Amino acid sequence: PAASPATPAPPRLPEPPPALRPAIRAAVAALVARHGEAERARIERGVRQVAAFWRDGDGDPAAFQAFVEEQFQPSGPALDALFHRLEAALEQIDGHAVEVDRALSSWMQLDLGPLTPVDPLLASYDAAAHVTDDLFDDKVAFAVLLDFPLTSLEERLGAGATWSRRRWAEARLAGRFSRRIPGAVNEGIARAAAAAELYVAGYDVLAHHLLDARGARLFPAGKRLLSHWNLRDEIKAQYARPDGLPRQRLLLAVMERIVTETIPAAVIGAPAVDWDPVTNAVRPAPAAEIEGGAPPPAAVDPAREPDTRYARLLGCFRAVRAADPFSPTAPTFIDRKFDVEREIPEARVVALLEEILGAPEVRRVAEVIRRRLGRPLEPFDVWYDGFRPRSRIPEAELDARTRARYPTPQAYARDLPRIFRDLGFTPARADLLAAHIQVDPARGSGHALGAARREDDPHLRTRVGPGGMDYKGYNIAVHEMGHNVEQYFSLQEVGSPLLAGVPDTAFTEAIAFVFQARDLELLGLPGPDAAARRLLALDDLWMTYEIAGVALVDLGVWHWMYDHPAATPAGLREATLRIARAVWNRWYAPVIGVRDAPLLAIYSHMIDSFLYLPDYPIGHLIAAQLEAHLSALPRASFGAEIERIASEGAVAPDLWMRHATGSPISTAPLLSAARAALDAGDPR
């Protein structure tokens, strides 16, 4: 019978092949006869779930029937024993895979001496790459699907608040086998992702070779600007300079050439080609202006890049679309991103984004920016950076403090008990965390690496130069330490390792930002004053406003690709520009005062990160909500509250937020903080 509105519908599964149907009927009849009518619903659901993933190579119908009749466990002690056996086994499989990967990547990621040619090869090894395939081949996955129910997003959101921890753990156990994607398809996805990542990683614009209308160079030699990150950050940096506006306008022209694919191919990463992005004229650079002493070319081909940007995006789309037939509970990649990974319905995400985009506070912030700049706004002002409060302490002084305190990674590790006590953890919990967070010397800027079995520890990779840890490195270390605290509690205190972690990346990032915001206080320095906090509230809203539109463009482009699976790169280019301009004209033109800007399509994440961009604005909302909740509590309760929040584990996002703050994910804290800051006046 159809589910009633009060009974959320289970996931829809494909009809089994005709050859399997008699075995299904016989198996169900035999199991009901053996275990009774009370088990019929579980039996029918479980047998159907196994049939949805069974392939010819797994056995003939007789083998299917024999398997399900042997492996089905009735409710009670037998099912409990199976659950705990699988829980323990998967914890060991996942945990040891993490440890193997951590060990094999250590020579690349840690400052352990000179690299050898084999180190990148070892770092690329993925111990878990074939685990799901192996568990299906060995039929462990089928045992899970037979005895534990797959759940729909509707079930998890509609009934999840009433579920026990065991019920949530069962949902996560079955959910890891809700897709059986062939190895060849996964390899195709990996190839497409690698091609897109390689394209993005090599997309440099040499700023010294950008010419303005007078032929003048506005940037120093040696400045490479990777699209889009460095281009955006350079626009932000120019707000601090009284003569920055011409540079910002020049970089805007570069961005528009990139997204419209009118950029000359010869200027991408080229150290010997001068380019005026406004007129699109190119010419050989004078020998004296060429970095590295390379000879100037005799001539420069002005031909545009041949839609490579959109060809890479189409390659990613077609690769992940090939997995659709093997994911019956989430049959499109868009479904898998929202219903499986985010567990927030797409319509709800869009509604949250549009609440921000249409908020009256945004127009008020724009007016403050206009007054501060003393000019009408221009499209690149979506990245206005003037609200970031500048430290009252010179960075050189901060560097001196952190270098003296942390000459080595070991010095930072020794200070962890004090850091945690100062944050508000009890001495016992501070010592516990310090004992279980391992500090390693990073080659790069640093990162946090969690554990996946309870006998293991999270690792903090932090960068410490020859002269000690500078302030930037310290700031990053405090952020990554926040991840480690979440990783420890969300593994050790969730009750089941199947619930380890948080709902998705946005949640752990939000917790890490809460720690990072307290870095100066942990150095014994005053934190942001009231004026600085008001500025940060305006900055948070403006950043969320900017990225919310980018997320809508990303989503719109993916829907267009699904509607036009045979599209050409040129067709995708034109569609992307239409979508970007439509989003701009609806949400930004009334605020900025300029129409038809294609700027929202510049993010490189659109090309190589597979519909990742909506995570950013959702992360801003979560961070604002957590910060509002924690800031209202006494300082001494900070540690206990972080522990309580993190121990909720990987349940549905709104359920996690209700546990953490008392409310589902909401725009209200972000908007109310900005409104209060605006009402208090512009704290210059």
Side-chain angles (χ1 to χ4, degrees):
S4 69
T7 305
R12 298 186 61 167
L13 297 173
E15 290 297 320
L20 208 56
R21 292 172 191 172
I24 292 172
R25 289 192 294 270
V28 169
L31 287 169
V32 171
R34 186 184 308 165
H35 299 293
E37 281 294 328
E39 291 290 298
R40 178 179 286 278
R42 281 192 61 237
I43 291 166
E44 290 179 341
R45 188 166 181 168
V47 171
R48 186 172 178 81
Q49 287 178 174
V50 173
F53 293 90
W54 193 272
R55 298 176 185 161
D56 290 344
D58 299 318
D60 60 16
F64 170 88
Q65 182 177 344
F67 175 83
V68 297
E69 289 187 26
E70 177 186 9
Q71 290 294 329
F72 180 81
Q73 301 298 322
S75 301
L79 186 64
D80 292 344
L82 174 64
F83 171 82
H84 292 300
R85 185 64 53 85
L86 291 167
E87 176 186 55
L90 292 172
E91 180 181 9
Q92 295 305 310
I93 291 171
D94 295 342
H96 284 292
V98 167
E99 292 168 59
V100 168
D101 290 345
R102 186 173 69 220
L104 295 187
S105 65
S106 62
W107 296 284
M108 282 289 292
Q109 295 181 351
L110 303 184
D111 189 8
L112 300 176
L115 291 172
T116 70
V118 78
D119 291 335
L121 304 180
L122 292 169
S124 67
Y125 177 77
D126 183 354
H130 302 287
V131 164
T132 299
D133 283 344
D134 292 343
L135 292 174
F136 269 108
D137 290 343
D138 296 336
K139 296 189 170 56
V140 173
F142 288 121
V144 172
L145 292 168
L146 177 63
D147 287 290
F148 301 98
L150 290 170
T151 56
S152 64
L153 180 62
E154 184 183 353
E155 286 180 297
R156 295 192 296 278
L157 299 186
T162 66
W163 287 357
S164 66
R165 303 292 287 176
R166 163 70 180 269
R167 181 69 185 84
W168 267 107
E170 290 181 357
R172 295 312 188 204
L173 172 60
R176 72 184 284 162
F177 301 112
S178 64
R179 297 177 297 283
R180 189 184 185 185
I181 299 171
V185 173
N186 281 326
E187 288 169 6
I189 294 171
R191 283 194 301 271
E197 289 169 5
L198 183 63
Y199 171 74
V200 166
Y203 207 107
D204 285 321
V205 174
L206 277 69
H208 183 59
H209 293 283
L210 298 177
L211 306 180
D212 69 6
R214 299 173 293 107
R217 301 177 192 279
L218 304 187
F219 294 94
K223 185 181 284 292
R224 285 180 171 264
L225 300 178
L226 180 66
S227 178
H228 75 283
W229 294 275
N230 296 150
L231 290 168
R232 176 202 60 193
D233 291 347
E234 188 65 27
I235 285 175
K236 289 184 173 186
Q238 293 300 322
Y239 285 107
R241 300 185 57 167
D243 60 347
L245 185 58
R247 297 182 186 85
Q248 292 172 320
R249 289 172 173 162
L250 202 62
L251 294 174
L252 173 65
V254 172
M255 288 182 166
E256 291 179 343
R257 294 292 181 188
I258 290 171
V259 298
T260 59
E261 282 281 25
T262 55
I263 184 172
V267 308
I268 301 171
V273 178
D274 286 343
W275 175 40
D276 175 353
V278 176
T279 66
N280 222 18
V282 292
R283 70 187 189 197
E289 302 292 347
I290 299 175
E291 294 96 331
V300 179
D301 184 352
R304 71 177 183 89
E305 184 187 28
D307 292 331
T308 310
R309 178 180 183 86
Y310 299 99
R312 293 291 178 269
L313 177 53
L314 270 179
C316 292
F317 162 70
R318 287 173 179 153
V320 299
R321 184 170 174 262
D324 290 356
F326 308 101
S327 178
T329 64
T332 73
F333 182 70
I334 299 171
D335 295 332
R336 294 192 287 280
K337 289 299 289 188
F338 286 95
D339 295 359
V340 178
E341 291 185 28
R342 293 189 180 103
E343 288 190 310
I344 309 175
E346 178 187 347
R348 175 158 158 70
V349 171
V350 170
L352 288 168
L353 300 183
E354 291 187 347
E355 282 180 34
I356 293 296
L357 289 165
E361 291 82 3
V362 166
R363 288 179 178 266
R364 293 179 64 188
V365 174
E367 185 55 38
V368 173
I369 296 172
R370 283 191 194 93
R371 290 198 303 268
R372 285 172 156 241
L373 294 175
R375 60 167 173 80
L377 297 186
E378 301 190 32
F380 55 79
D381 289 321
V382 294
W383 292 308
Y384 176 73
D385 194 46
F387 290 133
R388 300 300 298 175
R390 308 303 169 192
S391 175
R392 292 157 290 170
I393 305 169
E395 189 157 337
E397 182 179 336
L398 292 173
D399 286 343
R401 282 177 175 263
T402 55
R403 285 182 172 131
R405 183 171 289 194
Y406 305 121
T408 64
Q410 293 76 22
Y412 187 84
R414 288 193 295 270
D415 200 30
L416 285 177
R418 192 274 310 169
I419 289 174
F420 290 129
R421 288 194 302 272
D422 286 358
L423 280 167
F425 288 91
T426 65
R429 300 315 264 173
D431 290 344
L432 176 74
L433 287 169
H436 285 283
I437 294 176
Q438 308 302 316
V439 180
D440 303 323
R443 288 190 189 273
S445 61
H447 62 277
L449 183 60
R453 66 185 188 102
R454 287 167 288 186
E455 298 86 355
D456 192 21
D457 291 329
H459 283 243
L460 170 61
R461 272 72 187 278
T462 184
R463 172 83 171 175
V464 179
M469 181 186 287
D470 62 18
Y471 173 69
K472 284 191 176 77
Y474 164 76
N475 179 265
I476 293 170
V478 175
H479 177 95
E480 303 303 337
M481 183 184 72
H483 285 303
N484 289 143
V485 171
E486 174 269 302
Q487 290 162 350
Y488 179 79
F489 288 132
S490 70
L491 174 62
Q492 299 292 340
E493 298 192 359
V494 294
S496 169
L498 294 167
L499 289 175
V502 291
D504 64 32
T505 303
F507 290 80
T508 186
E509 287 295 339
I511 292 173
F513 283 130
V514 166
F515 278 72
Q516 189 174 10
R518 290 155 173 77
D519 69 328
L520 290 178
E521 297 168 61
L522 297 177
L523 285 175
L525 299 170
D529 59 16
R533 287 195 293 272
R534 292 201 299 273
L535 285 172
L536 286 170
L538 300 183
D539 188 66
D540 287 345
L541 176 56
W542 195 249
M543 285 193 305
T544 309
Y545 170 64
E546 175 261 328
I547 200 65
V550 173
L552 289 183
V553 173
D554 196 17
L555 181 56
V557 167
W558 274 87
H559 275 290
W560 188 89
M561 289 190 292
Y562 264 100
D563 291 340
H564 302 83
T568 64
L572 177 57
R573 164 173 48 85
E574 290 307 308
T576 300
L577 295 174
R578 284 196 303 272
I579 292 165
R581 287 173 177 140
V583 172
W584 180 274
N585 288 342
R586 181 178 180 188
W587 300 111
Y588 295 83
V591 175
I592 304 292
V594 179
R595 288 184 59 80
D596 293 330
L599 194 61
L600 299 175
I602 189 60
Y603 272 66
S604 296
H605 301 87
M606 284 186 62
I607 309 305
D608 72 344
S609 295
F610 294 74
L611 199 50
Y612 173 72
L613 283 161
D615 285 338
Y616 277 108
I618 297 300
H620 283 305
L621 299 183
I622 294 166
Q625 201 164 344
L626 281 181
E627 186 61 60
H629 171 73
L630 291 165
S631 297
L633 300 175
R635 180 186 179 90
S637 66
F638 178 89
E641 192 65 4
I642 288 289
E643 183 173 352
R644 183 189 69 82
I645 289 170
S647 65
E648 179 70 2
V651 297
D654 276 335
L655 183 59
W656 193 96
M657 286 300 292
R658 288 190 185 97
H659 169 87
T661 69
S663 302
I665 298 170
S666 170
T667 63
L670 181 73
L671 292 174
S672 64
R675 186 164 55 252
L678 289 161
D679 290 345
D682 183 4
R684 291 181 177 273

